[in-house]
Amino acid sequence: IFKESIKKFPEDWRMYIHGGDIAKELKKYDEALEYYYKAGEIGTYFCDEMDCKVGLYEEMGEYEKAYNECMKMADIYRSRGYDVEADIAEKRAEEIRNREYNTEKERREIKKELKAYTKGVSVYRRITKPYYDAKNLIIQAENYSHLDEIEKMYESVVNA
């Protein structure tokens, strides 16, 4: 249906925005970007395609691109005299920047915790290794103790 719509209305930027939204929902991010760029080529006065790209970049985890797109929107809004909208775009850009920082901070904290856990496990292993080694030797000794009985049975058969 979408392909038919853009054939029928090839210069309607809204069709491409909807197409991008559909592709985004289907996780076809490259296709979604193509549609958003096409909407931008046709021209959207209120930066609709840029707003859509910001959301897409955020979903993809590409926070730097999302931040940059927000800042471009802010510049465009300000150049058109829409200071309130520019402020909103800048605030959104800052939120994205903070989210990127927090995500990276969380990754560092997780790595730190894993390192501490691994170190703790290796200390635990070093402490308990002698116990497990001794336990395994006892088990082996019990298995081999039957060899004496088997040897006696063998000798009794051979000597008989």
Side-chain angles (χ1 to χ4, degrees), residues 37-102:
Y37 276 112
K38 180 64 178 174
E41 287 173 16
I42 294 169
T44 63
Y45 191 75
F46 286 104
C47 304
D48 297 85
E49 81 287 355
M50 296 175 91
D51 187 52
C52 291
K53 286 191 279 186
V54 169
L56 179 65
Y57 289 138
E58 284 182 290
E59 187 171 313
M60 294 168 63
E62 295 186 23
Y63 299 112
E64 186 67 27
K65 289 181 179 178
Y67 172 84
N68 291 336
E69 202 71 25
C70 273
M71 293 308 289
K72 287 180 197 172
M73 284 174 39
D75 290 343
I76 291 170
Y77 284 141
R78 221 169 280 296
S79 72
R80 294 178 181 169
Y82 296 115
D83 291 335
V84 172
E85 288 80 359
D87 291 343
I88 291 169
E90 287 172 347
K91 185 175 183 331
R92 185 174 179 193
E94 196 56 39
E95 288 171 0
I96 291 167
R97 179 66 59 140
N98 290 337
R99 189 172 320 121
E100 178 183 25
Y101 171 77
N102 289 336

Side-chain angles (χ1 to χ4, degrees), residues 2 10-20 32-45 47-50 52-53:
F2 168 69
E11 295 303 313
D12 188 343
W13 59 266
R14 293 170 297 187
M15 294 296 157
Y16 293 96
I17 295 289
H18 293 304
L33 274 174
E34 287 177 29
Y35 290 132
Y36 295 147
Y37 276 112
K38 180 64 178 174
E41 287 173 16
I42 294 169
T44 63
Y45 191 75
C47 304
D48 297 85
E49 81 287 355
M50 296 175 91
C52 291
K53 286 191 279 186

